[in-house]
Structure formats: structure tokens, C-alpha cells
Amino acid sequence: MHFPTLPARTGFFVAAVSAALLVTACSDDDDTVTSTPALPDAVAFTQAGLYPEGVQYDASRSRFLVSSQTRGAVGQVTDDGTYTQFADDPALISTIGMRVDEGRNRLLVAVSDPGYNTTRTTAATQRKLAGLAIFNLTSGQRTTYVNLGGLRPTQNHFANDIAVDDQGNAYITDSFSPIIYKVDAQGTATIFLENTQLAAPAGMFGLNGIVYHPGGYLLVAKSDEGALFKIPLTNPTAFTKVTLPQALTGADGLLLQDNITLQVVTNAQAKVNRLVSADGWTSATVSGIFSTPPQYPTTLARREGADSYVLYSNLNALQANQNPPVSVFTIARVKF
């Protein structure tokens, strides 16, 4: 750095500034450590009667996104417990499972009507609705809505959870009909798989959590029998049941930690089970269990790589018509 010739007092000042700049520019103090803030063990937020079923983490904006069976609107929650509305639309009667698709800057939301949103439920939609709503992840504007139940209009429906493959195709489970829907990147819906083996008794939840595996298949939970299915994308009718050491009663949300490790929420047992497979999900064993409070956990969100968080939805209180309703909901870090 070159300074012009200046009077003595000014030159002294410039020299001092120059020295300070050099110290600042060249300093590599080994004692200075840049640390990343520790992840919270739990994020609690207050929204009386919200009853969220789904949760996702939007890493680009450092926020959790939560659904609501009673309001329909999608909310966002920061680590300090602040809840604000992210997206709403008259079509959102009850929002269930969600999927953040960061690469395409979108949020996919499963829409159903179990009858808990008293301002939006109707006789025409209650237990008949299965929809997929897609929102811009930045603005919260709805870009797409697909009526999945219209593909089988005479059946009961409950769109529950969503997986997205590498091409942007979405796969949505139906808990009241033995169906997995497929919605391509252009928004065209088809029935990907329909099979009576995937049906549940009337009044019970069947197909539930779903994840895409990079090996070219889906892993899908079936709540009523505590089973896990492997469904190849190229030939879905050739699906197989994963051999497990015991039934995962109440199996709900799934999170693929890595290609051989799957986390499964069992809300009936208030647990998150960690499964591992050494044979490409022909079979699996339980390698860890995280026990949750009896607050009806439903599903999981991935955060900071392999870290996961489980949502305590308290849906059992909603189903029991508890009064006053639950006010505080928690998203807790899973630790095996």
C-alpha cells in the first residue's frame, strides 16, 4: 500500500492507520474460533389448537414449516419459537404431510379433510378429499393444486405424506384407499399403485409415511399393521414387504438418514425407531430407539445433514376433542 508524502503530524496518523490495517489484514490469531451455534434440543411454539401433523426444515431460510389439521394454513417456526403464517389458501382444508423440494424452490403439501377444520370442511369433502398443493418456497404463493381423489371419486380418501424423486415426480400416499398417486413435474396426476394388499380396515389408517430411495424405489409405512413396503419405481406392482423383527405399530412419518438407515415414527408407541438394512431393504433391524413424551409424535424433518427433529403433534388430544385444546407444540431433536 502506497501513501503520498504528507506533513509530519499527518504522516504519523497515516502510519498508525496503515499499521493497524496491516495487523487487521494479516492477523491469523489461533485463539479466534468461529463456531456454529449449537442446534437446539427442542423448539416449542404456542398456537392454541393448531395441531400440526407435518414438519419440514427449510435450510435456506433457517425455519421449520408446519402444517395444521384445524386451520389448513402452513406456518413457519424459527428456533426462538416464533410462529408466523407462511401460506394459506381456501383449498387447504387440513394440511397433513409436506415435502420441501429446495432444488425446485417449492413446498409440496398433502391436503385432506378429516373434519377438524370447522370453517372449511363440507359434506362433499369430509373423508373424500385427497389433494396436492404446491407453493413457491420463497413467496408462499400457490403454483399448483391437484385433485387426486378425483381419480377414484367413489372412494374415501386421506392424502397423507409425500416423497419426491430426482426428476421432480411426487408420490402421495392415501390412508383411506390403497393408493399411491404420482404427480409429475408438470402437475399431471396418475395412480402409481393401487392394490388391495395395501388396504386398511374401515376407520383405520393404512398407507402413511413415504420416502424416495436413490436406489430407485420407495419405502412406505402402513400404519394399521406396522409394516414397511419397498416399491420399485419402474415396476410398482412388484412391491415387497420389508422383513422386520417386530411390527412397527402405528408407523407414521419416515426419514431416510442415509441409504441403509431409516428413521420411523411410531406414534402409538411414542417412539422414533432407527432401522438399518444390509440387503437393500429386503429386511431391516432396529439399531436404536428414541422415546418421546406421550404427545403423539407424527413425523420427522432433516436438519444440518444427518440431524433429525420429530414433531409432537398431540393429535390424540384433537381426536379426543380435548378442551381446552393443546396450546404448546414441540419440535424435538432426535438423539439415539
Side-chain angles (χ1 to χ4, degrees), residues 182-322:
K182 178 180 178 180
V183 178
D184 66 20
Q186 289 71 48
T188 301
T190 55
I191 290 179
F192 173 72
L193 176 63
E194 183 175 19
N195 193 292
T196 55
Q197 293 181 54
L198 304 177
M204 298 188 69
F205 278 69
L207 297 174
N208 203 320
I210 183 171
V211 292
Y212 164 71
H213 192 288
Y217 50 88
L218 303 170
L219 294 172
V220 184
K222 190 167 183 284
S223 293
D224 63 305
E225 61 177 299
L228 189 67
F229 290 90
K230 176 182 177 180
I231 304 174
L233 295 186
T234 55
N235 186 15
T237 58
F239 67 90
T240 55
K241 183 183 290 188
V242 179
T243 301
L244 301 172
Q246 68 268 337
L248 299 171
T249 306
D252 199 332
L254 307 180
L255 186 149
L256 191 66
Q257 184 175 324
D258 55 49
N259 286 355
I260 63 169
T261 312
L262 181 74
Q263 296 180 24
V264 183
V265 177
T266 49
N267 47 48
Q269 303 172 10
K271 293 177 180 178
V272 179
N273 305 265
R274 183 177 62 198
L275 305 183
V276 294
S277 176
D279 55 12
W281 296 100
T282 297
S283 66
T285 58
V286 178
S287 68
I289 293 177
F290 174 73
S291 295
T292 76
Q295 296 179 24
Y296 206 91
T298 48
T299 194
L300 300 146
R302 181 188 300 276
R303 179 173 178 177
E304 309 296 333
D307 282 286
S308 63
Y309 281 75
V310 60
L311 172 66
Y312 301 153
S313 70
N314 289 274
L315 287 183
N316 54 335
L318 174 63
Q319 293 159 1
N321 198 28
Q322 177 178 306

